Amino acid sequence: MSELYRFIHAEKANYPIGLLCRVLHMARSSYYACLEGEAARRARQSADDALAHEITVLHLASRRTYGVARIHAEPRRLGRRVNRKRIARVMRERDIRGSTRRKHRSLTPPDKKATPAPDLIDRDFHADTPGTKLVGDITYLPTAEGWLYLACWLDLATRKVVGYAMADHHRAEPGVDALDMTHGRGGLEPGCVIHSDRGSEYTSTPFRARIRELRLRQSCGRTGSCFDNAAAKSFWALLKEEIGTRI
């Protein structure tokens, strides 16, 4: 609303609106149109504020990880339609942002001196029987005391984490310890395939020796191809997004 319209609105209790419009050389219809527009703008602002409150609650409940897509899905799941572009605008105006997955960065280089195991998975990340095909990887998570390295093994039949280990380094020990936990829980079939990338943790002598001791079969993807271990990489991406590490 312009200054002239604000002046008329403020003085209409003291003078007739028609007189004020004539003195200011303004049509009465223009004043009433502006008045109606101001009411509509206030109604839209009130609706945006209510939507922003709902978005904030959902965003905080997701540990500040949900972006426009997931925020938009929640009202639709409850049977209420909200325009996606409107949600994006409200989040942008209030600087509400979700976490994004960053480009994958390899944790450790392969051991070029070691002969890698063959790829027994060949990107077939399915298994009918538990304990026959496992995929694993190691990643890093930020903590108040520095980087925490987490290794895990995932059963492709159940999609459950069957073994894990943590350490303040990413040498061979976390991968071996996670494998020992998996074996200790039982359920591994003879000749179970243990698949990973060609990082130095998995081509190391201690890890390969432990594979032989447990009578398992080692499998490794190609160098520099994250898709050869996509099931494990996807698990890390989802875990980091849910806990909000944003790395």
Side-chain angles (χ1 to χ4, degrees):
M1 184 180 291
S2 69
E3 293 300 325
L4 291 179
Y5 292 122
R6 293 181 187 277
F7 177 79
I8 294 174
H9 191 70
E11 296 295 331
K12 68 179 182 180
N14 301 321
Y15 303 98
I17 293 177
L19 175 62
L20 292 171
C21 290
R22 285 196 302 272
V23 171
L24 297 174
H25 304 286
M26 183 180 297
R28 291 181 61 183
S29 59
S30 298
Y31 167 75
Y32 287 114
C34 183
L35 198 63
E36 292 177 0
E38 182 66 18
R41 284 190 291 273
R42 289 181 179 177
R44 287 195 298 271
Q45 184 62 46
S46 178
D48 282 351
D49 291 341
L51 179 60
H53 175 73
E54 182 178 356
I55 290 173
T56 301
V57 170
L58 292 172
H59 189 247
L60 292 176
S62 71
R63 300 178 184 177
R64 304 180 186 273
T65 61
Y66 280 10
V68 174
R70 289 193 172 185
I71 294 292
H72 178 248
E74 286 299 315
R76 291 178 61 87
R77 185 176 61 82
L78 299 175
R80 186 164 61 88
R81 291 184 174 273
V82 182
N83 186 274
R84 176 171 175 149
K85 291 183 178 180
R86 183 186 175 200
I87 290 178
R89 175 179 57 80
V90 171
M91 292 180 66
R92 182 174 61 253
E93 290 174 350
R94 289 159 176 80
D95 196 28
I96 302 175
R97 303 178 184 180
S99 63
T100 57
R101 300 180 186 178
R102 296 188 179 182
K103 185 177 180 181
H104 171 73
R105 180 172 66 87
S106 177
L107 184 62
T108 54
D111 186 350
K112 296 181 179 180
K113 296 181 180 179
T115 303
D119 187 353
L120 303 178
I121 293 288
D122 195 24
R123 300 190 183 181
D124 179 14
F125 301 108
H126 298 87
D128 296 326
T129 306
T132 57
K133 292 168 70 174
L134 306 183
V135 294
D137 196 14
I138 186 169
T139 192
Y140 53 101
L141 302 170
T143 71
E145 298 180 358
W147 292 108
L148 173 69
Y149 295 91
L150 173 64
C152 83
W153 293 104
L154 192 75
D155 194 309
L156 290 178
T158 62
R159 297 289 168 170
K160 293 181 179 179
V161 174
V162 292
Y164 66 90
M166 295 173 284
D168 59 358
H169 59 82
H170 54 90
R171 295 188 290 272
E173 287 83 354
V176 173
D177 292 343
L179 187 61
D180 286 341
M181 175 188 285
T182 303
H183 183 264
R185 288 180 169 181
L188 293 184
E189 297 293 330
C192 173
V193 175
I194 305 297
H195 183 77
S196 67
D197 57 24
R198 295 190 184 184
S200 58
E201 305 91 352
Y202 302 108
T203 56
S204 65
T205 299
F207 183 80
R208 304 183 78 170
R210 191 59 179 151
I211 288 282
R212 290 192 296 270
E213 291 174 4
L214 299 178
R215 297 182 180 180
L216 305 174
R217 291 188 296 164
Q218 187 177 15
S219 171
C220 288
R222 291 170 295 178
T223 301
S225 177
C226 62
F227 298 106
D228 287 351
N229 199 22
K233 302 297 184 184
S234 177
F235 171 73
W236 288 141
L238 292 174
L239 174 67
K240 292 178 179 181
E241 184 173 359
E242 289 299 326
I243 66 177
T245 59
R246 303 185 183 188
I247 59 174

